[in-house]
Amino acid sequence: MGPLHDVLDLVEFKQLTAAEALIDWRAAPKRPVHPALAQWTEQAVHGYLTAVAALRAAPGVPCGEPLEPVSRLWARQRGPLKPGDPDMYEELVTDRRYAGHGVRELRVVRMGSVRNRPRDDIEIAVAVGVLAGGRPVLSSRWDRNPLRLGQSESARLVRLVEIGCADASHRVLFEGTRAEAYACYDSSVEAHIEQLIAGGSYRPGEKCGGCDAVDNCPAVPSVPGLLGVSASGSPRRSWSVTTGRTHRRCPARAHMESLFLPRDAAIEDKEAITRGKAVHAWIESRHRRTPQQPCVPDDVPGPPEAWEYGGWRVTGLQARLGIQMIGDHALVCPLRDRPEDTEVHPERAIAVYDPDADVVIVAKTDLLYRVSDRWALRETKTVRALSEGDPLEQHPQLALAVLLAQAGALPGAGHWQVELERLTGSGPVVTQLDVTAPDVIARAQHVLDPYITPWRADSQYPTKAGKACEDCPFTRWCPDAAKRSST
Ligand SMILES: [Zn+2]
């Protein structure tokens, strides 16, 4: 969002047109900008300004006299909510701020569309509370000792608007008097804020990749040298096997993913991928039952010609194959022998930090389970035919699992093993990997290296236009994307 705000600042505070502002910004960006982010920014500037032009004036604001942009942030300071609380809380709003004619308006900028975006009543209540009672912030927003606030006239009307930059959509989330704004901040909002302040247990997982405190988190194991690369001074990043795989196909696509640029939903999954997801979703649901029960061969979805599970719909051959694979899984289900003495964690995300690489590794595992004192990580793959060759090479997640198990970075204490369950057209096959064997560890490192080293060293993220564009959801933002018609 940084570049978008930089350009909008030029439009609003230097009175440039959008075209002039974009030229100035391109000539001297505050920080290096990837061409895809530049393309998104350009469209987002037009999206924002188009949405704002279509926004109706707030009540009492004369036509043709728009609100003035406000450069200072707004914040409010509040006393303790209940006895025993700290002396003061500060609530601050960022995004784009405007004032005039007794109105205070905050426009929250979203990267994608705001059509059908879920409404967050707690966010709205906090934001309009600050609009109603906040004052301009004079000190740096990072200098909380506490914030130094200036004076300003209170508003007769506050308004909260949300703008979707991808399609110039907008909606007014709140418009009302100060009293009406304060009334949004009811007991349920206060209870939620109190919960935020009180904190809770650690929940390590996929979100650790974006957390600034991950290097000090007691719930995220630190394994120096896990990835075998050094940070060489570049900023912290988050890596998963998917990141590595995408980066190998097209570095720019991996970068756009990490920027959370809006995706095109129209790219359809291939049939076999959909079948794999449907089978996974069904097996996961069986493993989540309480009390725990082993999977049984005749507990399968239907009807055989077309079925749907977890939002994944399969028909014909894929539907029949999926049912056969689910039935086959029962023969190798980890719960089949001693369900009462087995602990299962389906679809668990694991986060590990490698300080040498300054990388947060996120692994989404299919199943972690324990039978008496032995733990196993099982990856389940659905493949029509069993292929020859090294399973680690074919499934880099397995190589990562070996390294995590070997480094003691998995959550259960004790002995770990890694398993590959392949559900094939001709039956189930479970392969066990000894994570203490030096040759297995060396192969796992060898397999992962091409997914890690070039990615960690990359700071430019060049595009690799061509085949990778065929199913890329970001071609809209990519200046080099191969034209769909030519692929
Ligand atoms: Zn099972």
Side-chain angles (χ1 to χ4, degrees):
M1 289 284 196
L4 169 67
H5 286 294
D6 293 345
V7 179
L8 291 177
D9 284 349
L10 291 172
V11 172
E12 292 178 347
F13 297 107
K14 297 211 161 162
Q15 280 86 42
L16 302 186
T17 65
E20 290 165 347
L22 283 164
I23 290 169
D24 277 19
W25 167 74
R26 269 195 229 99
K30 282 190 187 168
R31 53 193 92 73
V33 176
H34 189 273
L37 181 58
Q39 183 144 326
W40 176 82
T41 301
E42 201 162 303
Q43 297 202 31
V45 167
H46 291 295
Y48 182 87
L49 296 173
T50 306
V52 166
L55 191 59
R56 65 173 167 74
V61 177
C63 248
E65 287 184 41
L67 305 180
E68 292 292 323
V70 174
S71 60
R72 292 209 185 273
L73 302 174
W74 286 319
R76 86 169 157 155
Q77 290 166 333
R78 317 180 64 210
L81 298 178
K82 62 174 190 324
D85 274 356
D87 292 344
M88 195 207 291
Y89 295 110
E90 291 179 329
E91 293 170 348
L92 182 87
V93 294
T94 57
D95 269 279
R96 306 212 64 83
R97 303 160 303 280
Y98 303 84
H101 308 283
V103 176
R104 256 194 207 175
E105 180 164 304
L106 178 71
R107 297 179 198 154
V108 180
V109 185
R110 311 288 188 194
M111 280 191 132
S113 172
V114 300
R115 285 182 230 282
N116 309 319
R117 195 175 194 281
R119 217 182 125 90
D120 183 343
D121 286 326
I122 290 170
E123 183 188 54
I124 293 170
V126 175
V128 300
V130 177
L131 291 180
R135 285 150 51 195
V137 177
L138 304 181
S139 49
S140 154
R141 64 191 280 198
W142 306 115
D143 182 13
R144 301 279 180 97
N145 287 318
L147 290 172
R148 201 149 56 82
L149 302 185
Q151 293 301 326
S152 64
E153 277 177 32
S154 52
R156 68 176 167 82
L157 189 91
V158 302
R159 186 157 90 153
L160 179 65
V161 179
E162 188 177 44
I163 307 247
C165 289
D167 61 354
S169 52
H170 74 270
R171 56 181 183 173
V172 176
L173 294 175
F174 177 88
E175 185 178 84
T177 62
R178 289 169 60 213
E180 285 163 341
Y182 290 138
C184 293
Y185 208 108
D186 60 13
S187 55
S188 71
V189 177
E190 263 178 25
H192 187 89
I193 302 279
E194 271 185 39
Q195 213 181 346
L196 276 178
I197 293 167
S201 57
Y202 294 99
R203 267 176 258 162
E206 280 173 280
K207 299 238 164 110
C208 297
C211 174
D212 288 336
V214 69
D215 51 340
N216 290 312
C217 180
V220 174
S222 179
V223 184
L226 179 69
L227 295 183
V229 291
S230 87
S232 358
S234 52
R236 181 174 303 154
R237 287 191 197 157
S238 167
W239 182 87
S240 69
V241 170
T242 307
T243 310
R245 198 183 265 139
T246 309
H247 186 268
R248 277 183 97 177
R249 294 186 67 200
C250 173
R253 180 166 164 180
H255 186 57
M256 290 187 267
E257 244 167 37
S258 73
L259 292 172
F260 301 105
L261 289 186
R263 295 161 168 264
D264 284 323
I267 313 291
E268 285 189 352
D269 278 327
K270 294 197 179 83
E271 277 186 345
I273 293 175
T274 307
R275 182 246 297 142
K277 302 226 177 182
V279 169
H280 261 95
W282 177 271
I283 294 176
E284 181 192 346
S285 74
R286 304 293 97 181
H287 291 164
R288 283 198 193 277
R289 288 178 293 186
T290 43
Q292 265 168 208
Q293 300 160 53
C295 300
V296 290
D298 55 357
D299 182 18
V300 294
E305 281 308 312
W307 54 275
E308 186 187 325
Y309 202 76
W312 305 100
R313 185 176 165 72
V314 282
T315 57
L317 170 69
Q318 299 298 352
R320 293 193 298 275
L321 195 56
I323 286 176
Q324 181 227 302
M325 289 168 164
I326 287 169
D328 282 352
H329 163 77
L331 304 173
V332 293
C333 178
L335 286 165
R336 73 192 182 287
D337 294 330
R338 290 191 288 172
E340 68 293 336
D341 191 25
T342 306
E343 179 184 339
V344 294
H345 302 278
E347 304 292 326
R348 176 89 169 256
I350 309 273
V352 178
Y353 176 61
D354 177 349
D356 291 356
D358 200 6
V359 169
V360 185
I361 298 110
V362 177
K364 199 147 188 296
T365 60
D366 286 342
L367 182 67
L368 304 181
Y369 72 95
R370 179 188 56 75
V371 182
S372 65
D373 62 347
R374 297 179 74 80
W375 280 93
L377 182 158
R378 183 181 286 204
E379 285 293 318
T380 299
K381 300 289 166 199
T382 63
V383 286
R384 269 196 82 179
L386 206 58
S387 52
E388 298 293 317
D390 185 355
L392 291 175
E393 193 78 55
Q394 288 159 1
H395 308 291
Q397 301 95 320
L398 216 54
L400 178 61
V402 166
L403 295 188
L404 293 174
Q406 179 264 336
L410 295 172
H415 181 81
W416 273 91
Q417 73 180 19
V418 170
E419 300 171 343
L420 171 64
E421 171 183 339
R422 280 174 287 186
L423 301 173
T424 77
S426 53
V429 181
V430 174
T431 310
Q432 290 176 342
L433 295 159
D434 180 1
V435 303
T436 58
D439 65 317
V440 175
I441 298 165
R443 268 196 297 132
Q445 284 163 334
H446 178 74
V447 163
L448 285 183
D449 183 65
Y451 294 94
I452 294 165
T453 304
W455 165 82
R456 190 63 184 103
D458 193 355
S459 59
Q460 304 295 316
Y461 302 102
T463 52
K464 216 190 262 181
K467 204 152 173 46
C469 305
E470 283 174 21
D471 60 352
C472 177
F474 302 110
T475 48
R476 236 190 320 166
W477 315 121
C478 180
D480 297 333
K483 294 276 170 291
R484 280 273 154 69
S485 54
S486 65
T487 56

